[in-house]
Amino acid sequence: MRVVRALSAAVLTLTVAAGPAAADASPSPSQDETSAPTQAGTSFRTATEIEQGQRATASGSTGDYLYWSFPADTGQRPTVEATVKLPETHASQTWQIDVWDGLRRRQACQYGAQTRTAEADTSSVKLTCVLRTVRAWSEPWGNDPLPGTYYVRLTATGVATADLGLPVDTGIRVDSKDIGGSAAVDGSLAEPLVPGIASKAEEEQEDAAVLAGLEPEDGWTSGWWSDRWVWTAIGGILAALAGVGGYALTRGTGRPSRVPPGA
């Protein structure tokens, strides 16, 4: 029974170790609103960088293209929310958010109202795009979300000519849910898909130009660790416990099956 006790203690230790990993999946506190960006870019190259958990704002005109960028790491499922405050008087308008990864591949929304129509004189419109879970690695021909920089574009796709140029106020926020080991895959990228990061690595200079400078708070994980390792170890120990317990139940009382004559 000492073996059973030892294996039970090991399971308890691994379960406690898995606790902090699960706690890390909780949403991080919001960034200081005073440090959030108050403008948006007009193209991929000028996209305004925002941290996850920040609410960025920007003023613009109906018909403008507004761009932001944010970092997303392995195991995260980002949710992009955008709000547009419209002028008091306007005709019907259709607004849309689109998301691209670091290779500028358009990423489909898993669910959410990516496109919405604001009827005449509606005060605001809210858009949501929940992306698929970011994977550590993918086939070259795949279109799976990969760790790196993501770009968000907000624009009006259906606007009456009379409404072009009307002022609007926009707000955008990106949050992520950590999916954990259920989304883990074998393999990882050599570098996250951050425009300019490869050039910086080759030059090995601190002042090398990088088109996107933000990264997750704890750095890029590159998919080397997930809680799948913990639960795999726990499963192996439970299997060993089952084997030891089964042997203890079936080995009998210890008396020989055949008793010698005269015993």
Side-chain angles (χ1 to χ4, degrees):
M1 297 304 291
R2 293 180 179 177
V3 176
V4 176
R5 292 194 186 99
L7 290 174
S8 300
V11 171
L12 179 61
T13 301
L14 284 173
T15 304
V16 172
D24 290 341
S26 60
S28 58
S30 299
Q31 301 288 335
D32 185 3
E33 296 295 340
T34 60
S35 63
T38 56
Q39 61 181 5
T42 57
S43 67
F44 286 102
R45 294 184 62 87
T46 61
T48 298
E49 295 182 331
I50 60 174
E51 297 276 7
Q52 290 196 28
Q54 278 186 326
R55 177 173 173 79
T57 58
S59 297
S61 301
T62 305
D64 288 347
Y65 288 94
L66 305 177
Y67 286 83
W68 294 269
S69 66
F70 66 92
D73 204 5
T74 301
Q76 293 183 338
R77 187 172 65 192
T79 297
V80 182
E81 294 183 343
T83 303
V84 183
K85 293 184 179 180
L86 303 170
E88 294 182 0
T89 303
H90 64 83
S92 177
Q93 299 179 5
T94 299
W95 286 81
Q96 179 173 316
I97 50 174
D98 297 287
V99 183
W100 289 266
D101 64 8
L103 296 178
R104 297 191 186 180
R105 302 178 303 176
R106 187 175 181 276
Q107 294 296 321
C109 299
Q110 190 175 20
Y111 54 87
Q114 179 184 7
T115 301
R116 270 193 165 173
T117 299
E119 300 300 334
D121 301 334
T122 303
S123 60
S124 65
V125 60
K126 184 176 182 179
L127 307 167
T128 304
C129 176
V130 180
L131 298 174
R132 294 173 295 165
T133 303
V134 177
R135 296 161 58 91
W137 180 85
S138 176
E139 296 289 351
W141 57 84
N143 194 38
D144 297 308
L146 295 171
T149 300
Y150 283 76
Y151 297 92
V152 181
R153 184 182 72 184
L154 174 64
T155 187
T157 59
V159 182
T161 303
D163 284 351
L164 290 175
L166 290 179
V168 294
D169 293 322
T170 64
I172 188 169
R173 180 185 177 95
V174 179
D175 293 291
S176 286
K177 178 180 180 181
D178 290 331
I179 302 303
S182 61
V185 296
D186 295 328
S188 62
L189 299 180
E191 296 286 352
L193 300 179
V194 177
I197 194 171
S199 299
K200 183 177 181 179
E202 291 175 359
E203 296 177 11
E204 296 182 351
Q205 296 178 358
E206 294 184 358
D207 58 349
V210 178
L211 300 182
L214 291 182
E215 63 179 36
E217 183 178 354
D218 298 328
W220 300 104
T221 63
S222 298
W224 72 273
W225 164 260
S226 74
D227 55 8
R228 183 176 66 169
W229 293 101
V230 175
W231 297 113
T232 300
I234 292 176
I237 293 175
L238 289 176
L241 282 173
V244 172
Y247 173 76
L249 292 173
T250 58
R251 67 177 180 173
T253 60
R255 296 183 60 185
S257 59
R258 299 181 62 184
V259 180

